[in-house]
PDB file of all heavy atoms in Angstrom:
ATOM      1  N   GLU K  36      20.607  -5.019  32.432  1.00  0.00           N
ATOM      2  CA  GLU K  36      21.436  -3.928  32.940  1.00  0.00           C
ATOM      3  C   GLU K  36      20.642  -2.845  33.653  1.00  0.00           C
ATOM      4  O   GLU K  36      21.166  -2.190  34.551  1.00  0.00           O
ATOM      5  CB  GLU K  36      22.223  -3.295  31.793  1.00  0.00           C
ATOM      6  CG  GLU K  36      23.240  -4.232  31.174  1.00  0.00           C
ATOM      7  CD  GLU K  36      23.931  -3.653  29.963  1.00  0.00           C
ATOM      8  OE1 GLU K  36      23.395  -2.672  29.376  1.00  0.00           O
ATOM      9  OE2 GLU K  36      25.003  -4.151  29.576  1.00  0.00           O
ATOM     10  N   PRO K  40      17.784  -4.608  37.634  1.00  0.00           N
ATOM     11  CA  PRO K  40      18.439  -3.957  38.768  1.00  0.00           C
ATOM     12  C   PRO K  40      17.596  -2.845  39.394  1.00  0.00           C
ATOM     13  O   PRO K  40      17.567  -2.701  40.621  1.00  0.00           O
ATOM     14  CB  PRO K  40      19.724  -3.386  38.153  1.00  0.00           C
ATOM     15  CG  PRO K  40      20.002  -4.253  36.977  1.00  0.00           C
ATOM     16  CD  PRO K  40      18.647  -4.612  36.436  1.00  0.00           C
ATOM     17  N   LEU K  41      16.900  -2.058  38.570  1.00  0.00           N
ATOM     18  CA  LEU K  41      16.083  -0.965  39.107  1.00  0.00           C
ATOM     19  C   LEU K  41      14.972  -1.508  39.998  1.00  0.00           C
ATOM     20  O   LEU K  41      14.739  -0.993  41.109  1.00  0.00           O
ATOM     21  CB  LEU K  41      15.490  -0.157  37.944  1.00  0.00           C
ATOM     22  CG  LEU K  41      14.489   0.937  38.313  1.00  0.00           C
ATOM     23  CD1 LEU K  41      15.134   1.980  39.208  1.00  0.00           C
ATOM     24  CD2 LEU K  41      13.926   1.585  37.057  1.00  0.00           C
ATOM     25  N   VAL K  44      16.435  -2.716  43.306  1.00  0.00           N
ATOM     26  CA  VAL K  44      16.785  -1.599  44.191  1.00  0.00           C
ATOM     27  C   VAL K  44      15.547  -1.076  44.913  1.00  0.00           C
ATOM     28  O   VAL K  44      15.556  -0.857  46.136  1.00  0.00           O
ATOM     29  CB  VAL K  44      17.454  -0.470  43.375  1.00  0.00           C
ATOM     30  CG1 VAL K  44      17.421   0.851  44.132  1.00  0.00           C
ATOM     31  CG2 VAL K  44      18.894  -0.837  43.050  1.00  0.00           C
ATOM     32  N   GLN K  47      14.071  -3.695  47.422  1.00  0.00           N
ATOM     33  CA  GLN K  47      14.908  -3.836  48.620  1.00  0.00           C
ATOM     34  C   GLN K  47      14.802  -2.608  49.516  1.00  0.00           C
ATOM     35  O   GLN K  47      14.785  -2.729  50.750  1.00  0.00           O
ATOM     36  CB  GLN K  47      16.355  -4.076  48.199  1.00  0.00           C
ATOM     37  CG  GLN K  47      16.595  -5.450  47.578  1.00  0.00           C
ATOM     38  CD  GLN K  47      17.898  -5.533  46.813  1.00  0.00           C
ATOM     39  OE1 GLN K  47      18.746  -4.631  46.875  1.00  0.00           O
ATOM     40  NE2 GLN K  47      18.080  -6.621  46.060  1.00  0.00           N
ATOM     41  N   TYR K 256      34.745   3.819  37.491  1.00  0.00           N
ATOM     42  CA  TYR K 256      33.486   3.223  37.033  1.00  0.00           C
ATOM     43  C   TYR K 256      33.697   2.440  35.735  1.00  0.00           C
ATOM     44  O   TYR K 256      34.684   2.621  35.030  1.00  0.00           O
ATOM     45  CB  TYR K 256      32.423   4.300  36.851  1.00  0.00           C
ATOM     46  CG  TYR K 256      31.884   4.834  38.156  1.00  0.00           C
ATOM     47  CD1 TYR K 256      31.365   6.121  38.251  1.00  0.00           C
ATOM     48  CD2 TYR K 256      31.886   4.049  39.302  1.00  0.00           C
ATOM     49  CE1 TYR K 256      30.866   6.614  39.441  1.00  0.00           C
ATOM     50  CE2 TYR K 256      31.381   4.531  40.507  1.00  0.00           C
ATOM     51  CZ  TYR K 256      30.881   5.820  40.568  1.00  0.00           C
ATOM     52  OH  TYR K 256      30.394   6.295  41.751  1.00  0.00           O
ATOM     53  N   TYR K 303      38.331  -3.483  35.296  1.00  0.00           N
ATOM     54  CA  TYR K 303      37.352  -2.965  36.243  1.00  0.00           C
ATOM     55  C   TYR K 303      37.592  -3.564  37.616  1.00  0.00           C
ATOM     56  O   TYR K 303      37.863  -4.771  37.750  1.00  0.00           O
ATOM     57  CB  TYR K 303      35.951  -3.322  35.749  1.00  0.00           C
ATOM     58  CG  TYR K 303      34.816  -2.811  36.603  1.00  0.00           C
ATOM     59  CD1 TYR K 303      34.633  -1.451  36.829  1.00  0.00           C
ATOM     60  CD2 TYR K 303      33.891  -3.701  37.163  1.00  0.00           C
ATOM     61  CE1 TYR K 303      33.565  -0.985  37.593  1.00  0.00           C
ATOM     62  CE2 TYR K 303      32.813  -3.252  37.916  1.00  0.00           C
ATOM     63  CZ  TYR K 303      32.664  -1.894  38.131  1.00  0.00           C
ATOM     64  OH  TYR K 303      31.607  -1.436  38.898  1.00  0.00           O
ATOM     65  N   PRO K 305      35.521  -3.874  40.938  1.00  0.00           N
ATOM     66  CA  PRO K 305      34.189  -3.652  41.508  1.00  0.00           C
ATOM     67  C   PRO K 305      34.196  -3.080  42.923  1.00  0.00           C
ATOM     68  O   PRO K 305      33.355  -2.235  43.249  1.00  0.00           O
ATOM     69  CB  PRO K 305      33.571  -5.050  41.487  1.00  0.00           C
ATOM     70  CG  PRO K 305      34.342  -5.807  40.461  1.00  0.00           C
ATOM     71  CD  PRO K 305      35.720  -5.262  40.491  1.00  0.00           C
ATOM     72  N   ALA K 308      34.851   0.632  42.843  1.00  0.00           N
ATOM     73  CA  ALA K 308      33.702   1.320  42.257  1.00  0.00           C
ATOM     74  C   ALA K 308      32.561   1.444  43.258  1.00  0.00           C
ATOM     75  O   ALA K 308      31.905   2.486  43.342  1.00  0.00           O
ATOM     76  CB  ALA K 308      33.243   0.570  41.012  1.00  0.00           C
ATOM     77  N   GLU K 309      32.352   0.414  44.048  1.00  0.00           N
ATOM     78  CA  GLU K 309      31.262   0.460  45.030  1.00  0.00           C
ATOM     79  C   GLU K 309      31.519   1.529  46.092  1.00  0.00           C
ATOM     80  O   GLU K 309      30.594   2.217  46.532  1.00  0.00           O
ATOM     81  CB  GLU K 309      31.088  -0.905  45.687  1.00  0.00           C
ATOM     82  CG  GLU K 309      29.892  -0.960  46.620  1.00  0.00           C
ATOM     83  CD  GLU K 309      29.509  -2.379  46.994  1.00  0.00           C
ATOM     84  OE1 GLU K 309      30.033  -3.325  46.391  1.00  0.00           O
ATOM     85  OE2 GLU K 309      28.676  -2.525  47.903  1.00  0.00           O
ATOM     86  N   GLN K 310      32.753   1.676  46.507  1.00  0.00           N
ATOM     87  CA  GLN K 310      33.091   2.739  47.460  1.00  0.00           C
ATOM     88  C   GLN K 310      32.792   4.113  46.863  1.00  0.00           C
ATOM     89  O   GLN K 310      32.254   4.998  47.543  1.00  0.00           O
ATOM     90  CB  GLN K 310      34.566   2.649  47.842  1.00  0.00           C
ATOM     91  CG  GLN K 310      34.934   1.430  48.662  1.00  0.00           C
ATOM     92  CD  GLN K 310      36.435   1.352  48.927  1.00  0.00           C
ATOM     93  OE1 GLN K 310      37.196   2.254  48.546  1.00  0.00           O
ATOM     94  NE2 GLN K 310      36.861   0.283  49.570  1.00  0.00           N
ATOM     95  N   ARG K 311      33.140   4.281  45.593  1.00  0.00           N
ATOM     96  CA  ARG K 311      32.917   5.569  44.941  1.00  0.00           C
ATOM     97  C   ARG K 311      31.420   5.875  44.827  1.00  0.00           C
ATOM     98  O   ARG K 311      31.018   7.036  44.940  1.00  0.00           O
ATOM     99  CB  ARG K 311      33.552   5.570  43.548  1.00  0.00           C
ATOM    100  CG  ARG K 311      35.069   5.441  43.553  1.00  0.00           C
ATOM    101  CD  ARG K 311      35.726   6.637  44.230  1.00  0.00           C
ATOM    102  NE  ARG K 311      35.640   7.840  43.398  1.00  0.00           N
ATOM    103  CZ  ARG K 311      35.679   9.068  43.896  1.00  0.00           C
ATOM    104  NH1 ARG K 311      35.740   9.269  45.216  1.00  0.00           N
ATOM    105  NH2 ARG K 311      35.637  10.108  43.088  1.00  0.00           N
ATOM    106  N   VAL K 312      30.611   4.866  44.608  1.00  0.00           N
ATOM    107  CA  VAL K 312      29.167   5.082  44.521  1.00  0.00           C
ATOM    108  C   VAL K 312      28.636   5.693  45.811  1.00  0.00           C
ATOM    109  O   VAL K 312      27.869   6.664  45.793  1.00  0.00           O
ATOM    110  CB  VAL K 312      28.426   3.763  44.212  1.00  0.00           C
ATOM    111  CG1 VAL K 312      26.924   3.951  44.364  1.00  0.00           C
ATOM    112  CG2 VAL K 312      28.733   3.297  42.799  1.00  0.00           C
ATOM    113  N   GLY K 313      29.028   5.129  46.950  1.00  0.00           N
ATOM    114  CA  GLY K 313      28.582   5.668  48.231  1.00  0.00           C
ATOM    115  C   GLY K 313      29.023   7.109  48.427  1.00  0.00           C
ATOM    116  O   GLY K 313      28.264   7.951  48.917  1.00  0.00           O
ATOM    117  N   ALA K 316      26.953   9.399  46.028  1.00  0.00           N
ATOM    118  CA  ALA K 316      25.577   9.574  46.497  1.00  0.00           C
ATOM    119  C   ALA K 316      25.530  10.594  47.634  1.00  0.00           C
ATOM    120  O   ALA K 316      24.646  11.464  47.665  1.00  0.00           O
ATOM    121  CB  ALA K 316      25.004   8.235  46.960  1.00  0.00           C
ATOM    122  N   PHE K 349      20.792   4.487  34.162  1.00  0.00           N
ATOM    123  CA  PHE K 349      21.066   3.748  35.396  1.00  0.00           C
ATOM    124  C   PHE K 349      21.190   2.250  35.090  1.00  0.00           C
ATOM    125  O   PHE K 349      20.213   1.518  35.081  1.00  0.00           O
ATOM    126  CB  PHE K 349      19.962   4.020  36.421  1.00  0.00           C
ATOM    127  CG  PHE K 349      19.880   5.462  36.814  1.00  0.00           C
ATOM    128  CD1 PHE K 349      19.057   6.343  36.113  1.00  0.00           C
ATOM    129  CD2 PHE K 349      20.665   5.954  37.841  1.00  0.00           C
ATOM    130  CE1 PHE K 349      19.001   7.679  36.453  1.00  0.00           C
ATOM    131  CE2 PHE K 349      20.617   7.294  38.182  1.00  0.00           C
ATOM    132  CZ  PHE K 349      19.798   8.161  37.497  1.00  0.00           C
ATOM    133  N   GLY K 350      22.401   1.823  34.826  1.00  0.00           N
ATOM    134  CA  GLY K 350      22.660   0.410  34.601  1.00  0.00           C
ATOM    135  C   GLY K 350      23.216   0.115  33.225  1.00  0.00           C
ATOM    136  O   GLY K 350      24.165  -0.648  33.076  1.00  0.00           O
ATOM    137  N   TRP K 353      25.483   3.777  32.577  1.00  0.00           N
ATOM    138  CA  TRP K 353      26.267   3.918  33.813  1.00  0.00           C
ATOM    139  C   TRP K 353      25.983   2.675  34.655  1.00  0.00           C
ATOM    140  O   TRP K 353      24.965   2.591  35.328  1.00  0.00           O
ATOM    141  CB  TRP K 353      25.856   5.199  34.544  1.00  0.00           C
ATOM    142  CG  TRP K 353      26.584   5.452  35.818  1.00  0.00           C
ATOM    143  CD1 TRP K 353      27.809   4.988  36.200  1.00  0.00           C
ATOM    144  CD2 TRP K 353      26.125   6.264  36.911  1.00  0.00           C
ATOM    145  NE1 TRP K 353      28.152   5.448  37.445  1.00  0.00           N
ATOM    146  CE2 TRP K 353      27.138   6.238  37.910  1.00  0.00           C
ATOM    147  CE3 TRP K 353      24.976   7.017  37.142  1.00  0.00           C
ATOM    148  CZ2 TRP K 353      27.018   6.933  39.112  1.00  0.00           C
ATOM    149  CZ3 TRP K 353      24.860   7.711  38.331  1.00  0.00           C
ATOM    150  CH2 TRP K 353      25.875   7.672  39.304  1.00  0.00           C
ATOM    151  N   PHE K 354      26.877   1.720  34.595  1.00  0.00           N
ATOM    152  CA  PHE K 354      26.667   0.422  35.227  1.00  0.00           C
ATOM    153  C   PHE K 354      26.347   0.557  36.712  1.00  0.00           C
ATOM    154  O   PHE K 354      25.509  -0.170  37.260  1.00  0.00           O
ATOM    155  CB  PHE K 354      27.920  -0.441  35.029  1.00  0.00           C
ATOM    156  CG  PHE K 354      27.855  -1.781  35.690  1.00  0.00           C
ATOM    157  CD1 PHE K 354      26.970  -2.753  35.246  1.00  0.00           C
ATOM    158  CD2 PHE K 354      28.693  -2.086  36.761  1.00  0.00           C
ATOM    159  CE1 PHE K 354      26.914  -4.000  35.855  1.00  0.00           C
ATOM    160  CE2 PHE K 354      28.650  -3.329  37.374  1.00  0.00           C
ATOM    161  CZ  PHE K 354      27.744  -4.283  36.919  1.00  0.00           C
ATOM    162  N   GLU K 355      27.006   1.489  37.381  1.00  0.00           N
ATOM    163  CA  GLU K 355      26.817   1.656  38.823  1.00  0.00           C
ATOM    164  C   GLU K 355      25.563   2.452  39.170  1.00  0.00           C
ATOM    165  O   GLU K 355      25.262   2.674  40.348  1.00  0.00           O
ATOM    166  CB  GLU K 355      28.048   2.340  39.426  1.00  0.00           C
ATOM    167  CG  GLU K 355      29.334   1.536  39.322  1.00  0.00           C
ATOM    168  CD  GLU K 355      29.992   1.606  37.943  1.00  0.00           C
ATOM    169  OE1 GLU K 355      29.528   2.449  37.104  1.00  0.00           O
ATOM    170  OE2 GLU K 355      30.939   0.853  37.680  1.00  0.00           O
ATOM    171  N   GLY K 356      24.822   2.915  38.152  1.00  0.00           N
ATOM    172  CA  GLY K 356      23.666   3.774  38.389  1.00  0.00           C
ATOM    173  C   GLY K 356      22.621   3.201  39.330  1.00  0.00           C
ATOM    174  O   GLY K 356      22.152   3.906  40.237  1.00  0.00           O
ATOM    175  N   PRO K 357      22.188   1.938  39.191  1.00  0.00           N
ATOM    176  CA  PRO K 357      21.204   1.398  40.136  1.00  0.00           C
ATOM    177  C   PRO K 357      21.713   1.405  41.579  1.00  0.00           C
ATOM    178  O   PRO K 357      20.950   1.692  42.521  1.00  0.00           O
ATOM    179  CB  PRO K 357      20.973  -0.028  39.631  1.00  0.00           C
ATOM    180  CG  PRO K 357      21.255   0.052  38.170  1.00  0.00           C
ATOM    181  CD  PRO K 357      22.402   1.019  38.058  1.00  0.00           C
ATOM    182  N   ARG K 358      22.990   1.094  41.750  1.00  0.00           N
ATOM    183  CA  ARG K 358      23.570   1.141  43.099  1.00  0.00           C
ATOM    184  C   ARG K 358      23.562   2.570  43.636  1.00  0.00           C
ATOM    185  O   ARG K 358      23.323   2.793  44.828  1.00  0.00           O
ATOM    186  CB  ARG K 358      25.002   0.582  43.052  1.00  0.00           C
ATOM    187  CG  ARG K 358      25.722   0.584  44.396  1.00  0.00           C
ATOM    188  CD  ARG K 358      25.085  -0.385  45.373  1.00  0.00           C
ATOM    189  NE  ARG K 358      25.765  -0.364  46.655  1.00  0.00           N
ATOM    190  CZ  ARG K 358      25.332  -0.981  47.743  1.00  0.00           C
ATOM    191  NH1 ARG K 358      24.204  -1.669  47.692  1.00  0.00           N
ATOM    192  NH2 ARG K 358      25.996  -0.917  48.866  1.00  0.00           N
ATOM    193  N   PHE K 359      23.800   3.537  42.760  1.00  0.00           N
ATOM    194  CA  PHE K 359      23.737   4.946  43.146  1.00  0.00           C
ATOM    195  C   PHE K 359      22.339   5.301  43.646  1.00  0.00           C
ATOM    196  O   PHE K 359      22.185   5.967  44.678  1.00  0.00           O
ATOM    197  CB  PHE K 359      24.126   5.811  41.943  1.00  0.00           C
ATOM    198  CG  PHE K 359      24.023   7.284  42.163  1.00  0.00           C
ATOM    199  CD1 PHE K 359      25.031   7.980  42.823  1.00  0.00           C
ATOM    200  CD2 PHE K 359      22.925   7.999  41.705  1.00  0.00           C
ATOM    201  CE1 PHE K 359      24.940   9.356  43.019  1.00  0.00           C
ATOM    202  CE2 PHE K 359      22.819   9.367  41.895  1.00  0.00           C
ATOM    203  CZ  PHE K 359      23.836  10.043  42.553  1.00  0.00           C
ATOM    204  N   LEU K 360      21.315   4.872  42.933  1.00  0.00           N
ATOM    205  CA  LEU K 360      19.940   5.123  43.385  1.00  0.00           C
ATOM    206  C   LEU K 360      19.687   4.496  44.748  1.00  0.00           C
ATOM    207  O   LEU K 360      19.056   5.114  45.628  1.00  0.00           O
ATOM    208  CB  LEU K 360      18.938   4.572  42.367  1.00  0.00           C
ATOM    209  CG  LEU K 360      18.813   5.301  41.033  1.00  0.00           C
ATOM    210  CD1 LEU K 360      17.861   4.548  40.114  1.00  0.00           C
ATOM    211  CD2 LEU K 360      18.340   6.733  41.242  1.00  0.00           C
ATOM    212  N   SER K 361      20.163   3.271  44.938  1.00  0.00           N
ATOM    213  CA  SER K 361      19.999   2.613  46.227  1.00  0.00           C
ATOM    214  C   SER K 361      20.643   3.432  47.340  1.00  0.00           C
ATOM    215  O   SER K 361      20.052   3.627  48.416  1.00  0.00           O
ATOM    216  CB  SER K 361      20.611   1.214  46.171  1.00  0.00           C
ATOM    217  OG  SER K 361      20.528   0.570  47.426  1.00  0.00           O
ATOM    218  N   GLU K 362      21.840   3.913  47.094  1.00  0.00           N
ATOM    219  CA  GLU K 362      22.534   4.721  48.101  1.00  0.00           C
ATOM    220  C   GLU K 362      21.791   6.020  48.377  1.00  0.00           C
ATOM    221  O   GLU K 362      21.740   6.477  49.531  1.00  0.00           O
ATOM    222  CB  GLU K 362      23.961   5.012  47.631  1.00  0.00           C
ATOM    223  CG  GLU K 362      24.887   3.805  47.671  1.00  0.00           C
ATOM    224  CD  GLU K 362      25.246   3.391  49.090  1.00  0.00           C
ATOM    225  OE1 GLU K 362      25.224   4.255  50.001  1.00  0.00           O
ATOM    226  OE2 GLU K 362      25.534   2.197  49.303  1.00  0.00           O
ATOM    227  N   LEU K 363      21.205   6.616  47.360  1.00  0.00           N
ATOM    228  CA  LEU K 363      20.432   7.842  47.585  1.00  0.00           C
ATOM    229  C   LEU K 363      19.298   7.587  48.558  1.00  0.00           C
ATOM    230  O   LEU K 363      19.092   8.349  49.522  1.00  0.00           O
ATOM    231  CB  LEU K 363      19.867   8.362  46.264  1.00  0.00           C
ATOM    232  CG  LEU K 363      20.823   8.953  45.235  1.00  0.00           C
ATOM    233  CD1 LEU K 363      20.028   9.513  44.051  1.00  0.00           C
ATOM    234  CD2 LEU K 363      21.702  10.044  45.842  1.00  0.00           C
ATOM    235  N   PHE K 364      18.543   6.523  48.324  1.00  0.00           N
ATOM    236  CA  PHE K 364      17.396   6.246  49.196  1.00  0.00           C
ATOM    237  C   PHE K 364      17.844   5.903  50.619  1.00  0.00           C
ATOM    238  O   PHE K 364      17.191   6.300  51.588  1.00  0.00           O
ATOM    239  CB  PHE K 364      16.569   5.109  48.615  1.00  0.00           C
ATOM    240  CG  PHE K 364      15.893   5.451  47.315  1.00  0.00           C
ATOM    241  CD1 PHE K 364      15.964   4.593  46.228  1.00  0.00           C
ATOM    242  CD2 PHE K 364      15.190   6.642  47.169  1.00  0.00           C
ATOM    243  CE1 PHE K 364      15.336   4.903  45.034  1.00  0.00           C
ATOM    244  CE2 PHE K 364      14.561   6.965  45.976  1.00  0.00           C
ATOM    245  CZ  PHE K 364      14.640   6.090  44.900  1.00  0.00           C
ATOM    246  N   HIS K 365      18.941   5.164  50.744  1.00  0.00           N
ATOM    247  CA  HIS K 365      19.396   4.763  52.072  1.00  0.00           C
ATOM    248  C   HIS K 365      20.066   5.904  52.827  1.00  0.00           C
ATOM    249  O   HIS K 365      19.934   6.001  54.056  1.00  0.00           O
ATOM    250  CB  HIS K 365      20.358   3.567  51.960  1.00  0.00           C
ATOM    251  CG  HIS K 365      19.663   2.261  51.709  1.00  0.00           C
ATOM    252  ND1 HIS K 365      19.229   1.865  50.465  1.00  0.00           N
ATOM    253  CD2 HIS K 365      19.311   1.255  52.559  1.00  0.00           C
ATOM    254  CE1 HIS K 365      18.644   0.677  50.560  1.00  0.00           C
ATOM    255  NE2 HIS K 365      18.679   0.287  51.808  1.00  0.00           N
ATOM    256  N   GLN K 366      20.786   6.755  52.122  1.00  0.00           N
ATOM    257  CA  GLN K 366      21.474   7.862  52.799  1.00  0.00           C
ATOM    258  C   GLN K 366      20.594   9.103  52.955  1.00  0.00           C
ATOM    259  O   GLN K 366      20.919   9.992  53.738  1.00  0.00           O
ATOM    260  CB  GLN K 366      22.734   8.252  52.019  1.00  0.00           C
ATOM    261  CG  GLN K 366      23.821   7.188  51.986  1.00  0.00           C
ATOM    262  CD  GLN K 366      25.100   7.721  51.360  1.00  0.00           C
ATOM    263  OE1 GLN K 366      25.466   8.888  51.539  1.00  0.00           O
ATOM    264  NE2 GLN K 366      25.794   6.862  50.619  1.00  0.00           N
TER     265      GLN K 366
END
Side-chain angles (χ1 to χ4, degrees):
E36 294 175 342
L41 174 61
V44 162
Q47 290 163 10
Y256 287 153
Y303 182 60
E309 185 165 350
Q310 292 176 4
R311 296 296 288 155
V312 170
F349 298 90
W353 180 24
F354 177 68
E355 296 79 10
R358 180 67 181 171
F359 176 81
L360 289 175
S361 177
E362 288 289 334
L363 290 185
F364 293 132
H365 283 80
Q366 294 188 36

